[in-house]
Amino acid sequence: MAAEKGLDPLGFLRVFTSFLEAARRCLTIIYLYHGEERVLSGRVYVYRGLVQYGSRYLESGEHGDVHGPVRAVEESILILDECAGSAGGAFADCVLSDMLSRPPVVVGPDVSIREAVKLMWSSGVSSVVVVEGGRPIGILTDADVKNFVANEVDLSRPVREVAVKPLTTSGKWESCMDALIKMAVNNIKHLVVVDSSGSLVGVVTTRDIAYRLLPVPIHFLKDLRNVWEEEKLRRVREDLETWAKRRSQQMLEPGGPGAIHLTKLVTEINDIIMSKVVGNVLALLGPPPCPFAVAASGSQGVYEQFVVTDMDNFIVAACEDEYFNKLGKEVVERLMKIGYPPCREGYSMDRLVLHLPRVESFIESAGDKDVILASLIFDGRVLYGSRELVGKAREAACRWGRYNRLRVLSSALRYKPPLGMFDRLEKRFKVKENLLAPLTLPIKALSMVHCVVSYAIYDRIGELANIGVISRALAEELKASYETLLRYVIWAKGQGKAELTVDEVPNISMLKAAFRPVKTLHEFLEKSL
């Protein structure tokens, strides 16, 4: 009988605690000597040992909510989740069913080890479950395969002789923390998940749970890997928005997640969902008549998405054809069903189809909206199709911006940082217009008239300094301000706030400090006009 080979107990504990560091704001590893007593508040998970709380005893693998003295009946290792029950709890609402994004890979008990390993490889998984009579009876993992090769095990033997037995299982509604405790206690890295009747529903690994508990939503990328059905894409988008709103509450806390990295990752996830929808529509319409591209713009174009906002996007094509109007309309309709709201200003691909080489004349035809349209095209970032075409459209927007430099730069000053005399913060200000826009609009304008290549605002600030448009000292201050202001925007949007008052803003001094370099940027632009 094979056993899943892991690390030695102390080594496994180090690995186990290392990915728990992702939730370090909430979790604490506590060691108690025999007889030691400590006052604790939160949810206690007993990794090893036996503790007493009041009249209740908790042993290895058990957990309970405590608010008072906890005594070690024997030497014990505890994991304390101080955020349990709150919106920011490290394991709040995390259950195993959330991670079952694909059916388990199974084999019968008489299949050879060699065939089972081939199936693991072709399926891209690290384990196969041995099933007999519809019930899981064992598991074969990549660690077992290494053991077989090292010990020259005959690979023609049936898996029933070598699969891990007895099998450690969990119910699909079991919490992530309970599953981790079970995996740690049994020194395994794969956990078979069953329903109430004992039938197999999936397999989760320590990596699955670690991804789920990281302060960045990497697990959504994994979930999307093999998903094309739009109903499933809708569920992923909904889960992403729920996650984002919950995470937004922590943005202003000390040690909170980095705003720039989070928005970039959330944007990447939305990119994948949208590109899959474009692919589905192309499969329906057939091949396009000429090269084309679908580009994201607005907050998605510059990697600023967090809580999902309206769609700013466009199509650029090398020829004029009704095909692209149909493509844009169908994609937007499907994205709306998935949950992406339409652009209120009409800057989405169902209305915005550009034809090269007439991009500049198209911008001119927009009348008083020409600066906005040029900026939107310059912010365009390819989601699907030809990067070259999107690059040419951006170059055209840049040429137009250079020719209309004064109008572009003066338009960027339409939203001011809400600082009055003596740097007093205004009593009431709008989130969209007064928090981030006073910084991002000038940076976008300067980037367009100087043809900066970067997309993300943070990167554009650095590039503007590198080519001598702004000083390096101002650039460093603006980068810090951007991170801070982005945190405030995420925090406000997560609560559904379009407007803020001074009384409800945490840490006013930090916000005021972030606005000062923005004020300097505005003064610099005003002098250059």
Side-chain angles (χ1 to χ4, degrees):
M1 182 190 305
E4 185 177 1
K5 298 296 182 182
L7 302 170
D8 61 85
L10 289 178
F12 188 88
L13 181 57
R14 284 193 294 271
V15 174
F16 178 62
T17 56
S18 68
F19 64 76
L20 290 181
E21 281 296 307
R24 59 187 178 276
R25 290 185 322 97
C26 296
L27 299 180
T28 305
I29 309 294
I30 297 172
Y31 178 82
L32 295 180
Y33 294 103
H34 173 251
E36 184 179 357
E37 186 174 278
R38 192 178 301 186
V39 175
L40 303 176
S41 181
R43 184 164 296 156
V44 165
Y45 299 85
V46 182
Y47 171 73
R48 182 175 298 163
L50 177 67
V51 298
Q52 180 182 6
Y53 171 62
S55 60
R56 183 182 177 187
Y57 290 86
L58 299 172
E59 60 182 358
S60 297
E62 295 184 333
H63 68 270
D65 294 332
V66 301
H67 301 282
V70 174
R71 186 178 68 85
V73 178
E74 59 186 53
E75 192 175 60
S76 301
I77 298 176
L78 312 179
I79 301 170
L80 175 66
D81 185 354
E82 296 176 277
C83 303
S86 69
F91 297 91
D93 304 323
C94 179
V95 294
L96 296 185
S97 61
D98 293 338
M99 281 165 279
L100 303 178
S101 58
R102 61 178 294 174
V105 178
V106 301
V107 294
D110 296 319
V111 168
S112 70
I113 299 172
R114 180 176 288 102
E115 290 304 312
V117 172
K118 285 182 178 179
L119 182 60
M120 286 170 60
W121 182 83
S122 63
S123 303
V125 296
S126 58
S127 67
V128 291
V129 181
V130 182
V131 175
E132 187 172 40
R135 298 294 179 92
I137 61 169
I139 188 170
L140 192 71
T141 73
D142 52 359
D144 295 320
V145 174
K146 294 174 187 176
N147 180 42
F148 299 154
V149 172
N151 292 284
E152 300 181 348
V153 173
D154 181 4
L155 300 183
S156 64
R157 292 172 60 186
V159 291
R160 72 161 70 242
E161 296 181 6
V162 295
V164 175
K165 295 177 285 187
L167 202 57
T168 301
T169 64
S170 283
K172 67 177 183 176
W173 299 116
E174 192 166 307
S175 74
C176 295
M177 190 62 192
D178 287 341
L180 281 175
I181 293 290
K182 188 174 290 184
M183 293 162 92
V185 168
N186 290 281
N187 196 21
I188 58 176
K189 293 179 286 185
H190 296 76
L191 190 62
V192 172
V193 183
V194 297
D195 61 19
S196 57
S197 68
S199 298
L200 175 68
V201 293
V203 177
V204 296
T205 67
T206 52
R207 179 180 295 179
D208 294 331
I209 300 177
Y211 278 176
R212 184 71 56 167
L213 299 178
L214 282 170
V216 290
I218 289 177
H219 63 279
F220 288 110
L221 295 175
K222 180 175 178 292
D223 294 345
L224 283 169
R225 187 182 304 161
N226 299 306
V227 173
W228 290 92
E229 299 90 342
E230 285 161 22
E231 176 58 28
K232 291 182 179 179
L233 293 175
R234 182 186 64 79
R235 289 200 294 269
V236 172
R237 192 211 64 79
E238 289 177 350
D239 290 345
L240 175 64
E241 186 162 9
T242 299
W243 178 93
K245 287 180 177 179
R246 182 179 297 131
R247 183 63 64 181
S248 69
Q249 299 173 35
Q250 304 166 10
M251 292 307 299
L252 300 182
E253 297 176 5
I260 292 173
H261 292 114
L262 284 180
T263 53
K264 184 171 184 179
L265 188 54
V266 170
T267 301
E268 294 278 11
I269 294 167
N270 284 319
D271 285 357
I272 294 171
I273 294 174
M274 291 186 176
S275 64
K276 284 176 178 281
V277 173
V278 174
N280 289 345
V281 175
L282 287 171
L284 178 69
L285 296 180
C290 62
F292 81 102
V294 173
S297 192
S299 61
Q300 188 174 1
V302 297
Y303 293 104
E304 269 180 15
Q305 281 196 323
F306 200 73
V307 177
V308 176
T309 55
D310 55 0
M311 289 183 280
D312 291 319
N313 45 51
F314 60 88
I315 292 174
V316 56
C319 64
E320 290 190 50
D321 196 282
E322 182 60 24
Y323 177 98
F324 299 111
N325 293 322
K326 292 179 181 177
L327 172 66
K329 289 177 182 177
E330 183 66 26
V331 171
V332 168
E333 286 179 9
R334 294 188 181 207
L335 289 174
M336 288 173 62
K337 290 178 182 177
I338 288 174
Y340 293 97
C343 177
R344 289 168 291 183
E345 303 297 328
Y347 298 123
S348 53
M349 70 182 88
D350 57 337
R351 301 183 187 181
L352 196 52
V353 179
L354 310 179
H355 305 109
L356 292 177
R358 296 196 298 276
V359 174
E360 290 170 75
S361 59
F362 185 81
I363 295 172
E364 289 287 355
S365 69
D368 60 354
K369 300 288 187 182
D370 54 1
V371 174
I372 296 174
L373 181 57
S375 179
L376 183 139
I377 295 171
F378 184 74
D379 288 343
R381 184 173 52 77
V382 68
L383 285 178
Y384 195 105
S386 170
R387 292 183 181 277
E388 181 182 359
L389 289 180
V390 175
K392 288 181 178 180
R394 292 189 77 205
E395 290 171 5
C398 172
R399 287 193 300 269
W400 185 92
R402 281 182 164 175
Y403 185 78
N404 296 275
R405 178 180 178 277
L406 293 180
R407 290 186 53 227
V408 171
L409 295 181
S410 60
S411 175
L413 297 173
R414 62 186 181 272
Y415 298 126
K416 305 289 185 182
L419 287 180
M421 291 287 289
F422 309 111
D423 283 350
R424 290 179 64 88
L425 204 61
E426 294 177 6
K427 291 184 178 179
R428 184 180 295 273
F429 49 90
K430 294 181 178 179
V431 172
K432 182 176 181 179
E433 291 85 350
N434 299 122
L435 273 181
L436 208 53
L439 189 159
T440 58
L441 291 185
I443 294 301
K444 287 183 177 185
L446 286 169
S447 298
M448 182 162 66
V449 300
H450 291 281
C451 294
V452 164
V453 176
S454 302
Y455 290 102
I457 297 296
Y458 188 90
D459 296 333
R460 289 184 182 183
I461 294 171
E463 195 169 337
L464 287 170
N466 289 339
I467 61 177
V469 177
I470 59 176
S471 70
R472 293 190 181 277
L474 178 59
E476 291 306 312
E477 291 178 348
L478 289 172
K479 286 180 180 180
S481 292
Y482 180 65
E483 168 79 29
T484 299
L485 294 172
L486 192 56
R487 286 179 180 274
Y488 276 96
V489 169
I490 292 170
W491 171 79
K493 285 186 175 181
Q495 300 179 72
K497 293 181 180 291
E499 197 172 71
L500 293 172
T501 63
V502 171
D503 294 337
E504 62 185 327
V505 175
N507 201 339
I508 292 178
S509 60
M510 182 171 72
L511 182 58
K512 289 167 65 174
F515 279 131
R516 290 187 190 109
V518 180
K519 198 172 181 180
T520 302
L521 177 64
H522 278 237
E523 292 168 355
F524 165 78
L525 271 185
E526 288 165 357
K527 289 177 182 177
S528 65
L529 292 176

